[in-house]
Amino acid sequence: MTETLNNLTVLGAGVLGGQIAWHSAFKGKQVVVYDLYDDSLERCKMAHQQYAVIYLAELGATQAMISETHARLTYSSQLADAVARADLVIEAVPEIPETKTSVYQQMASLLPAHTLVATNSSTLLPAQFASATGRPEKYCALHFANMIWSMNLAEVMAHADTADDTLRAITRFAIEIGMVPIPIQKEQNGYVLNTWLVPLLNATQSLITNGVSTPEYIDRTYLIANRGCTLGPCGIMDIIGMKTCYDVMTYWGNENQDEQLLANAAYIKQHFIVQGKLGLQTGEGYYRYPDPAYQAQDFLAVPGLDAVEDLVRLVRPHPLAAAS
Ligand code: NAD
């Protein structure tokens, strides 16, 4: 029987690292959250308070379960301490290859011999980093989706040298924390989920960058065409976070010499990142939170005839468009 991985260290206390850490602790794992920056750790602690509210309200958690979850979590900016007892390290640092490589290299000599390592990268391949970990056979991808408590899938992707025992233990870990494991049969940038999602978000951002339509009308179109969905692509970008959207567009824009993608990244930087609007986590991205427009009762309603003039004014170049 594969051994249970009880001690988890999460590298990167951002949007996804914070969620993976909280959810794993809620499911009984001992978790250390590591980040290079103390202010990121402080933001992560605040996010954990917010997740507690969600788990109490939506997941049937009791106050005792929430207290136990907090008790299983520790936060550290010292890498050696953070990984000293880890059975599993999940890396969730920015989607910037140099950053990931440098963290793996720093960590390699600090890890106990038995420790497994998994990347939560959205679009990069484990093969890119396997040698930097110093333990390629104990390394693979374990990719979670944002809002881990309701989007409970975990994509498991190996590289050529990942050992079967590593995949067994990681898959078991995913099940123990309530995920549906999605086996990926060959290395693929974006797994299953992001092979769909990233092109959708890129196409959406191109519509905005090029002034073809507005965020709300794009989301309206999506939500009417996909009745029953609760989020359109601009709402999804807010939840992912503008920094990660920017990192992904910048990396792939450079990699593929894709001018549109680089223009999309520049748009996100100019209109959001430099203004501190990082999406849901800072209360504003394409929408303002806690009550984003797309959650209004009438968001998908047929407008009254008094809206005709306003709608006609929108059949013109969008004032926020980079090209205008
Ligand atoms: P984020 O920008 O919210 O968080 C990254 C964290 O890493 C920050 O707290 C930052 O301080 C920290 N960091 C930066 N450099 C570091 C270093 N050298 N050492 C340690 N910590 C460092 O990013 P995120 O959205 O949480 O994404 C993290 C990873 O997870 C990326 O690979 C991303 O592609 C992936 N991912 C993101 C989502 C999403 O919806 N946001 C979903 C699935 C996977």
Side-chain angles (χ1 to χ4, degrees), residues 11-18 34-37 40-41 43 91-96 99-100 102-103 106 119-123 143-146 194 239-241 243-244 247-248 281:
L11 307 179
V15 173
L16 247 285
Y34 164 77
D35 202 286
L36 196 54
Y37 305 106
S40 294
L41 289 171
R43 269 197 301 278
E91 170 274 305
V93 303
E95 192 79 340
I96 302 172
T99 305
K100 290 188 187 294
S102 135
V103 173
Q106 285 172 50
T119 179
N120 181 53
S121 168
S122 299
T123 60
H143 177 247
F144 296 91
N146 204 317
N194 285 338
I239 287 173
I240 290 171
K243 172 69 168 55
T244 293
D247 288 341
V248 170
Q281 56 178 317

Side-chain angles (χ1 to χ4, degrees), residues 86 110-116 135 137-138:
L110 305 172
L111 288 177
H114 74 284
T115 307
L116 304 184
R135 53 185 67 212
E137 72 292 348
K138 292 189 163 66

